[in-house]
Amino acid sequence: MLLRLAWRNIWRNKRRTYITVASIMFAVFAAIAMSSIQRGAWGHMVDNVVKYYFGYAQIQKDGYWEEQSIDKAFLMDEEVKALQTKLPHVKDFIPRIESFALASYKKSTLGVLVVGTNGEKENAMTKLGTRITKGTYLQPGEKGAIIADGIAENLKIGVGDTLVLLSVGYRGANAAGKYPVKGLVHFGSPELNKRMVYLPLEEAQYFFAADGLVTSIALDIDDKKNIEPTILAVKSKLNQDKYDVLNWKEMIPSLVEAKQLDEAGAKIMLLILYVIIAFGIFGTILMMTKEREYEFGVLLAIGMHRMKLGLTIWVETILLGILGAVAGMLFSFPIVYYFYKQPITMTGDMAKAYEKFGVEPILPAALGLDIFLIQALIVFLMTSVLAIYPLLKIRGLRPVEAMRE
Amino acid sequence: MPIIKTTQVTKVYNPDTIPVHALAGVDLEIEAGEFTAIVGPSGSGKTTLLNIIGGLDQPTSGSIEVGGQDISKFSDSEMIDFRQKNIGFVFQAYNLIPVLTAEENVEFVMLLQKRSKAERQARVKELLESVGIADKWDKRPNQLSGGQQQRVAVARALASKPTFVLADEPTANLDSKSTANLLDIMARLNQEEGITFVFSTHDQRVIDRARRVVTLVDGQVDTDVYK
Ligand SMILES: Nc1ncnc2c1ncn2[C@@H]1O[C@H](COP(=O)(O)OP(=O)(O)OP(=O)(O)O)[C@@H](O)[C@H]1O
Ligand SMILES: [Mg+2]
C-alpha cells in the first residue's frame, strides 16, 4: 500500500516527475561521462608513456635506480631467465643495458644515453620500429646504431655515417666504439629526442665491457591490472637482497603526480556538479512538500502515524532517485561506449602538448562498470539524503494548521 | 454515560501576543446516537471546539473525556491512535487522498488499522453502497463531483467503526441538492445504525435536520435545544 501510494504520487504531477528524473539522469550521465573520459584519458596517457620506454615494471639490481651506474649491472643468469615461464601475465622480458656516453661525429660531441636492447623484443613492447623516420630498424646480428633524429641534427650526422661513442664501461673499463647509423627515430618528447641511441644488446654489452650483463629487464605485462600481482610474484621468486622490482609509478613519479593533480581537479568538478544537482532535486522536494501540506494534515488527522507518512514520502523520493539513476546509466552507456570505441581526437594546443610527450592526441573513454555503479549510487544516495527534508517537515506538522490552507 | 464530555474547556490562541479567546469555558455532553449540530456566528469557536473534541488540537484548560478517557493529556502518538480508532472525520473540502480511488480512500483507514483483506473488501462495498456511490468505486476524487466526494468522505469516516463522526461544515461547498442528499445519508446512518454525528454548519436547511442544536456565541454555549 505504501509503495502503491508512493508510485501513484510520483505520477500525479507528471511534468515535475519528468523534470526531476531528467535532472537526476543528467547528473548521473555527467558524472559518468566525466569519470569515464578522465579515466580513459589517463589510461591512454599512462599506457603511452609507460610503453614508450619503461614498461609497466622493471627488474633491476638492488640500488640501481638511485645510482643508475653501469657498475650496478647484473648477470642475466639461468635463474632470472627461468623466471619468465613462471609469470603468466608477462608476455616478454626485455633485457637492456644502458648508460651515458659521449657521441661524436666529426667536430661535434654530445652526451647521449646508450641503450642496448633486443630489437625485436623492444619493438614488441615500445613499438620503437614505428618511430623510424629514415633508414632501417635494428636488424638481428647487424652492427649499427639507431639514433634519435635530434642527435642527428645536432651532430649533423646522417644514415650511413659512422658515430663514435666513448664512455666508461663496467668497473671502469674503457669503452669506445664506432657504429654506422642505420636509422633515425623520432620522439615527441624533446628530452628523449636529443639523447637516445639504440644498439643491439650484444653490441652494447661488448661496448661497455659487460658481457652477459644487463642493467634492467623491462617486463611486458599484458594488462595494467596485473602489474601488482606480477611484481609480487617476481619479488617472491628472486633474492630480494640482490634484486629490486620497480613499477612504473616509482620510475616516473612526475606522471603519477600529474595524474593525481588532475584527478583532484576532477573530484572538485564532480563535487560542484553534485551540489548543483542537489539544489535542483531539493527544489522539487521542497515544492512537493509545500504543495501537499494539506494532504499530509488530512492523513495525520485520520490517524496515519507520522513515521508511516514520512516513510511513504521518502519511498516516493527514493523511487524518483532510482528511476533517475537507472535512466542515467542506460542513457550513458551507449554514449560512453561510443567514445570508448571512437575516441575524441584532440586538435590545436592540446594535441601539441600530447604529441610532445609522444602520446597520440586522443581522449578515449574508459568503459568501467564500477564508474557507472558508483556515480549512479552517489547521485542516488544524495537523493535519499535530501528526501529526509519532508520527513523533518512531517515530524513537526500540526494537522489543524496544515489543513487551514 | 455520555460519549463526549467537555468540562470548562477554554482555548486561547496566541497567548503571548494578541490573545484570542476562541473558547471560554465550554461544558457539553453528547450521548451515543445523537445527531447534533453546532452552530453560531463566524468566529464563535465551532471549528475550534470540533478540533479539540476530535483530538486534533489541545485545549488551553479544561478536560475532554471521550468514552470515559481524558484525552487532553495524550501524547502526539496516542492522539493519532485515538483518532484512528475513535473518530471519523469529514472535513469541509478536499479531504480525500487524490491519488487513491473512492474504494481505496475508504479502505485506507482500515489498512492503517491492519484489518484483514476480506473484512476490508466487505466493508468498503457495504459503505459505498450505503452512501450511494458503489458504481463510482474506481474513480479518483477529481473524477467525482463535490457531493460525491463528500459521500466518499462519509464512507471513509465510517470505515474505522468510530465512536462518533465529526464534520466541520460538511456541506459548505455543496449545492442544495447535494446537501440534501448528504444529509439524507447521514440521517439514515444515524437512525438505522445508531451512528453519532456531530457537525457544525451555517446552513439553515442543515440546522433544520438536526435533532439537537448547540449554539455557540463568543466561545461559550449560548443555547442548547433538543427537537
Ligand atoms: N490558529 C489560530 N490562531 C489564532 N486565532 C485563531 C486560530 N484559529 C482560530 N482562531 C480564532 O479563534 C476564533 C474562533 O475560530 P473558529 O475557527 O473556531 O470559529 P468558527 O466558529 O469555526 O468560525 P467559522 O464559522 O468562520 O468557521 C476566531 O476569532 C478565530 O479568528
Ligand atoms: Mg469554522
Side-chain angles (χ1 to χ4, degrees):
Chain A
M1 181 69 192
L2 241 64
L3 250 157
R4 195 188 335 160
L5 199 59
W7 183 252
R8 294 222 192 131
N9 274 317
I10 285 179
W11 298 113
R12 175 169 168 183
N13 188 334
K14 286 206 183 71
R15 202 151 78 123
R16 185 169 59 206
T17 298
Y18 290 143
I19 291 172
T20 312
V21 170
S23 64
I24 296 174
M25 181 179 101
F26 175 74
V28 170
F29 167 69
I32 288 176
M34 258 176 78
S35 304
S36 298
I37 291 279
Q38 218 238 351
R39 183 190 287 182
W42 272 107
H44 173 68
M45 184 85 171
V46 166
D47 278 1
N48 269 270
V49 172
V50 164
K51 283 190 181 155
Y52 202 46
Y53 183 68
F54 295 98
Y56 283 131
Q58 287 189 4
I59 301 173
Q60 299 169 350
K61 188 168 191 168
D62 188 42
Y64 171 79
W65 190 248
E66 290 77 39
E67 277 182 51
Q68 308 222 351
S69 151
I70 188 84
D71 287 344
K72 292 268 180 186
F74 62 97
L75 188 66
M76 186 148 166
D77 57 15
E78 290 310 315
E79 184 200 350
V80 177
K81 279 186 194 149
L83 194 62
Q84 195 181 342
T85 57
K86 295 178 201 143
L87 300 168
H89 299 298
V90 174
K91 291 193 289 189
D92 204 0
F93 271 19
I94 296 100
R96 292 177 182 140
I97 184 162
E98 60 176 60
S99 190
F100 291 95
L102 287 175
S104 350
Y105 178 65
K106 292 188 178 158
K107 296 251 149 50
S108 319
T109 301
L110 193 69
V112 297
L113 180 72
V114 174
V115 180
T117 186
N118 175 309
E120 212 173 313
K121 288 169 181 272
E122 185 73 39
N123 191 40
M125 185 173 87
T126 65
K127 309 273 182 301
L128 183 63
T130 63
R131 295 184 181 279
I132 291 283
T133 54
K134 263 198 194 117
T136 53
Y137 186 57
L138 293 174
Q139 303 298 330
E142 209 178 38
K143 179 175 168 168
I146 298 290
I147 63 174
D149 58 10
I151 300 174
E153 212 173 292
N154 260 314
L155 298 181
K156 305 204 170 46
I157 190 172
V159 174
D161 297 336
T162 300
L163 183 73
V164 176
L165 293 175
L166 281 176
S167 182
V168 179
Y170 188 59
R171 301 215 164 129
N174 262 333
K178 284 181 179 181
Y179 302 90
V181 174
K182 291 279 167 196
L184 304 185
V185 284
H186 177 77
F187 290 98
S189 151
E191 192 57 26
L192 291 183
N193 207 41
K194 64 177 194 227
R195 40 166 46 188
M196 299 306 280
V197 172
Y198 288 90
L199 294 177
L201 180 62
E202 295 74 22
E203 283 301 329
Q205 285 171 333
Y206 181 75
F207 172 69
F208 286 118
D211 260 350
L213 301 186
V214 298
T215 50
S216 70
I217 301 170
L219 305 182
D220 192 1
I221 298 173
D222 60 1
D223 195 300
K224 267 195 284 277
K225 65 174 188 287
N226 297 320
I227 297 175
E228 287 310 316
T230 301
I231 288 178
L232 285 178
V234 176
K235 278 187 173 162
S236 73
K237 291 186 174 75
L238 284 182
N239 181 346
Q240 296 221 34
D241 295 334
K242 255 172 88 183
Y243 299 102
D244 208 355
V245 189
L246 279 80
N247 67 24
W248 65 271
K249 291 178 187 169
E250 293 166 283
M251 296 184 284
I252 339 175
S254 60
L255 186 64
V256 178
E257 268 165 38
K259 182 168 177 245
Q260 281 166 346
L261 202 69
D262 190 57
E263 277 166 356
K267 283 219 175 74
I268 292 170
M269 289 276 287
L270 272 180
L271 205 70
I272 294 171
L273 179 76
Y274 292 149
V275 169
I276 293 171
I277 291 302
F279 272 108
I281 297 171
F282 191 62
T284 317
I285 293 177
L286 213 67
M287 239 155 64
M288 179 274 282
T289 310
K290 189 79 212 139
E291 227 175 76
R292 303 236 306 258
E293 234 168 74
Y294 186 94
E295 183 184 330
F296 295 164
V298 172
L299 287 166
L300 290 177
I302 65 171
M304 189 172 195
H305 275 275
R306 289 174 200 272
M307 271 293 284
K308 211 171 208 167
L309 175 56
L311 200 66
T312 314
I313 306 305
W314 193 72
V315 166
E316 196 180 313
T317 320
I318 290 304
L319 281 175
L320 280 180
I322 293 175
L323 272 175
V326 170
M329 284 197 284
L330 293 181
F331 179 69
S332 307
F333 183 79
I335 295 174
V336 172
Y337 186 77
Y338 176 81
F339 287 111
Y340 166 70
K341 286 284 179 201
Q342 301 287 142
I344 302 164
T345 307
M346 287 179 296
T347 51
D349 288 349
M350 273 301 273
K352 284 203 191 94
Y354 262 64
E355 270 161 353
K356 197 170 143 185
F357 288 101
V359 178
E360 201 186 340
I362 55 168
L363 271 183
L367 196 65
L369 185 66
D370 58 328
I371 294 182
F372 279 71
L373 292 180
I374 288 172
Q375 294 307 332
L377 194 72
I378 289 175
V379 175
F380 168 70
L381 287 179
M382 207 167 70
T383 313
S384 331
V385 171
L386 292 174
I388 293 173
Y389 171 78
L391 265 69
L392 297 178
K393 192 79 193 173
I394 286 166
R395 218 178 67 163
L397 196 74
R398 294 172 37 80
V400 181
E401 281 160 23
M403 288 191 296
R404 209 189 307 120
E405 282 160 290
Chain B
M1 193 181 71
I3 53 168
I4 303 170
K5 182 172 191 282
T6 72
T7 313
Q8 280 304 301
V9 165
T10 69
K11 179 72 183 180
V12 184
Y13 289 111
N14 314 327
D16 307 322
T17 53
I18 313 152
V20 178
H21 295 266
L23 295 179
V26 174
D27 289 314
L28 188 65
E29 289 188 6
I30 289 172
E31 302 286 338
E34 283 191 17
F35 199 64
T36 298
I38 311 281
V39 304
S42 188
S44 56
K46 305 181 291 295
T47 298
T48 306
L49 180 62
L50 289 185
N51 284 343
I52 287 174
I53 294 173
L56 286 173
D57 207 352
Q58 290 185 312
T60 306
S61 69
S63 74
I64 308 100
E65 280 174 40
V66 173
Q69 34 175 353
D70 186 352
I71 66 165
S72 54
K73 303 280 171 329
F74 277 3
S75 71
D76 177 70
S77 163
E78 284 170 328
M79 274 295 206
I80 292 176
D81 269 333
F82 164 78
R83 292 198 296 264
Q84 188 195 94
K85 290 198 185 76
N86 296 284
I87 302 175
F89 286 100
V90 178
F91 303 100
Q92 190 171 323
Y94 319 115
N95 55 60
L96 298 176
I97 303 167
V99 294
L100 298 183
T101 62
E103 179 193 41
E104 289 164 341
N105 261 287
V106 176
E107 191 187 4
F108 192 79
V109 192
M110 287 188 279
L111 274 164
L112 294 179
Q113 292 177 328
K114 303 196 168 62
R115 302 284 179 81
S116 75
K117 182 158 188 173
E119 186 187 349
R120 293 195 318 255
Q121 281 177 336
R123 190 150 174 79
V124 168
K125 193 160 176 290
E126 176 193 320
L127 286 167
L128 286 178
E129 268 163 20
S130 84
V131 297
I133 48 168
D135 57 328
K136 300 269 191 285
W137 64 275
D138 60 345
K139 297 280 182 285
R140 301 248 180 122
N142 61 5
Q143 298 168 302
L144 298 172
S145 71
Q148 290 166 336
Q149 285 187 44
Q150 278 311 56
R151 283 188 271 157
V152 176
V154 170
R156 179 185 67 186
L158 294 174
S160 61
K161 299 200 173 150
T163 317
F164 57 93
V165 175
L166 288 179
D168 191 12
E169 306 200 30
T171 61
N173 287 11
L174 301 184
D175 58 37
S176 53
K177 190 157 164 278
S178 304
T179 298
N181 189 293
L182 189 72
L183 257 291
D184 288 344
I185 290 165
M186 284 165 57
R188 197 193 69 237
L189 286 164
N190 172 258
Q191 269 151 27
E192 292 175 6
E193 302 185 26
I195 291 160
T196 312
F197 281 90
V198 180
F199 49 93
S200 73
T201 187
H202 281 292
D203 188 336
Q204 191 54 47
R205 287 163 303 179
V206 178
I207 299 171
D208 292 342
R209 304 283 297 263
R211 286 192 287 131
R212 176 184 175 191
V213 179
V214 178
T215 309
L216 292 185
V217 175
D218 293 338
Q220 279 180 312
V221 177
D222 186 52
T223 59
D224 187 350
V225 183
Y226 290 80
K227 292 195 267 189

